[in-house]
Amino acid sequence: MIAGLVDAILYYLGAALLLIGGVLDVIAAIGMNRFRNFYLRLHAATVGAIGGGFYPLLGLGMIALTMHGLGETRLYIAGIAFTTALFLALTAPVGSHALAQGAHRGRVVLPEPVVVNKLLEDEEKQGR
Amino acid sequence: MTRWSDLKEIIIATAAALLLVALSALLASSGLVAAPPPSDNRWLAEKFLTLTYNAERKALWAASPEVVTSILWDYRGIDTVYETSVFFFAIIGALMLVRSYKPARGEKIEGRGMSVIARTVTRITLVAIPVVAASIALHGHLTPGGGFQGGSVFAVATLLAIVALGTGFLVNRGWSKGRLLGFRTLGLVIIVFVAIAVPIIGLMDGGRAYLVQNQEKPWSGYGAGYIYSVLGLDILYSGTLLFLNLAEFLAVSAGLTLAFLVMGLPREKLYKGGDVE
């Protein structure tokens, strides 16, 4: 009874996460298309990486846990999905951060419109 | 931009998405995309699939459930040894470009690397990547993977360290040109040793065995065995495959790391050596 309840909760939570992931991916795609400059688009890309990658992987792991027909394999699938989700959550923001930092430090793109740019002031003070 | 053009774009995007879904449904239902696998394999694939791990027909088996590794290190083992030596010479060629740079003993290299955020996460992933690499290499005879793949994954870790933490991170911890070359050569020496071990045993026994021979053949009864029993557990090590995979892992990870390290040397080092003008 309890096991069935846990399974049901895991399954529907997983399905909901998968659905959220799909929706967020669409939103990220629209953002990539519609945002004006590099830094804003980076925001959309991160929505795609975390919302469209992290959440569906979590959901996939949860759904896999309920698939008892797979035997022990479901544990492997869930474990791999959760581990991948963890590392995605760790590395995706760093990727966008490195891109933004590289673009800013190399003066490839400057944020625009901009009210105040403390990073630029700091970098010019340090003479980079 | 007016409201109307926004609406138009949304309608176009939705229509395109719906068209994509309809087309993929059509393709999938007509069996064009998800074509069922053919009921019969081609004769060569069938040979490999039925022979590599067939304990009932040990005449041509490789004692490994992983068909690709069996082909690479058993059926066409000499070819792979040759490939490994080609890789060795490719790295030597890369080193030739910076041959005049001689690192002094105990020399430190300054390197800023990237920001604190990137450095912190790189330090975390630096632990995880070698673990994955080792598991790929050690399970090369059981699951897809092997020495080259594991070594390439390992080299990703060192590349990350070089980019995010600076070349000095590795160099100042003793990852010198000489040591990496040593590990690489050690890997190659192990490969050569394993390749000639079985023939030498055969010669000493007065019989005959092939180079890179793995399992016993009916006409050449020398092999490296395939089961190691310890503490009541039977561990499948697939004869020479495990050792060759490990040696290849050593050679490839050290070789690629060396190439990345040389590429990541600061420019002034290369100026001093006279390689760059």
Side-chain angles (χ1 to χ4, degrees):
Chain A
M1 178 64 197
I2 296 289
L5 193 65
V6 169
D7 271 4
I9 290 173
L10 275 179
Y11 185 85
Y12 286 114
L13 207 59
L17 281 173
L18 273 182
L19 201 67
I20 290 172
V23 170
L24 284 177
D25 251 347
V26 172
I27 290 174
I30 294 173
M32 277 304 251
N33 196 22
R34 300 282 296 157
F35 277 145
R36 269 171 307 187
N37 63 38
F38 173 75
Y39 296 101
L40 295 176
R41 284 198 184 127
L42 213 51
H43 173 63
T46 315
V47 168
I50 296 296
F54 177 68
Y55 287 164
L57 273 170
L58 278 188
L60 195 68
M62 289 179 185
I63 291 176
L65 279 180
T66 65
M67 297 283 165
H68 291 281
L70 293 173
E72 266 188 20
T73 315
R74 76 201 160 92
L75 297 180
Y76 293 125
I77 297 174
I80 290 170
F82 289 144
T83 318
T84 316
L86 173 74
F87 276 100
L88 198 66
L90 266 177
T91 52
V94 182
S96 349
H97 160 75
L99 274 177
Q101 198 197 20
H104 192 275
R105 196 177 272 176
R107 305 276 185 276
V108 183
V109 252
L110 283 176
E112 171 281 320
V114 62
V115 180
V116 58
N117 192 343
K118 288 282 182 194
L119 186 59
L120 191 66
E121 289 169 20
D122 275 359
E123 282 178 1
E124 275 167 2
K125 216 177 285 171
Q126 287 169 18
R128 274 180 194 163
Chain B
M1 211 174 269
T2 57
R3 281 274 162 213
W4 168 238
S5 67
D6 283 7
L7 194 64
K8 202 171 74 180
E9 265 186 39
I10 289 173
I11 290 171
I12 290 172
T14 319
L18 283 178
L19 188 69
L20 196 69
V21 169
L23 271 179
S24 21
L26 188 72
L27 285 174
S29 63
S30 61
L32 279 176
V33 174
S39 53
D40 54 330
N41 291 302
R42 277 187 284 173
W43 67 270
L44 188 61
E46 196 167 316
K47 278 261 186 307
F48 284 131
L49 287 171
T50 49
L51 285 178
T52 40
Y53 198 54
N54 191 347
E56 288 169 4
R57 292 170 64 190
K58 289 190 178 176
L60 283 173
W61 82 325
S64 163
E66 199 352 54
V67 180
V68 177
T69 303
S70 312
I71 294 172
L72 279 178
W73 282 120
D74 188 333
Y75 295 129
R76 42 152 272 193
I78 290 185
D79 202 13
T80 311
V81 172
Y82 179 71
E83 263 175 20
T84 307
S85 64
V86 168
F87 177 74
F88 186 83
F89 288 120
I91 299 288
I92 293 284
L95 285 180
M96 283 291 284
L97 296 173
V98 290
R99 63 189 177 281
S100 52
Y101 165 64
K102 299 270 190 305
R105 190 167 285 279
E107 180 186 6
K108 299 279 178 206
I109 287 184
E110 300 283 323
R112 196 171 54 220
M114 290 165 81
S115 65
V116 183
I117 300 171
R119 296 171 77 92
T120 311
V121 173
T122 307
R123 278 169 201 272
I124 298 170
T125 46
L126 267 192
V127 182
I129 297 173
V131 173
V132 174
S135 91
I136 290 175
L138 282 168
H139 281 184
H141 59 294
L142 302 175
T143 51
F148 199 94
Q149 293 87 330
S152 312
V153 171
F154 185 87
V156 170
T158 54
L159 184 59
L160 257 182
I162 287 167
V163 171
L165 307 173
T167 315
F169 180 81
L170 291 180
V171 174
N172 299 347
R173 277 168 178 73
W175 291 54
S176 64
K177 203 167 147 185
R179 272 188 200 163
L180 287 171
L181 260 179
F183 275 120
R184 233 160 79 69
T185 316
L186 179 69
L188 271 176
V189 167
I190 294 176
I191 288 177
V192 171
F193 177 76
V194 173
I196 61 172
V198 176
I200 283 181
I201 291 171
L203 269 182
M204 290 197 308
D205 200 45
R208 215 172 50 164
Y210 298 96
L211 277 176
V212 211
Q213 179 163 344
N214 180 14
Q215 297 301 321
E216 294 176 10
K217 308 283 175 233
W219 57 93
S220 161
Y222 304 98
Y226 53 92
I227 292 275
Y228 181 70
S229 295
V230 60
L231 302 172
L233 288 170
D234 288 342
I235 298 169
L236 177 74
Y237 68 93
S238 301
T240 57
L241 299 188
L242 175 66
F243 306 109
L244 288 169
N245 266 336
L246 275 178
E248 177 86 1
F249 173 64
L250 200 62
V252 169
S253 51
L256 283 177
T257 302
L258 191 55
F260 292 143
L261 214 55
V262 163
M263 280 193 262
L265 282 175
R267 267 183 88 80
E268 59 257 36
K269 298 281 172 203
L270 303 181
Y271 277 128
K272 244 181 254 170
D275 293 309
V276 182
E277 289 180 357

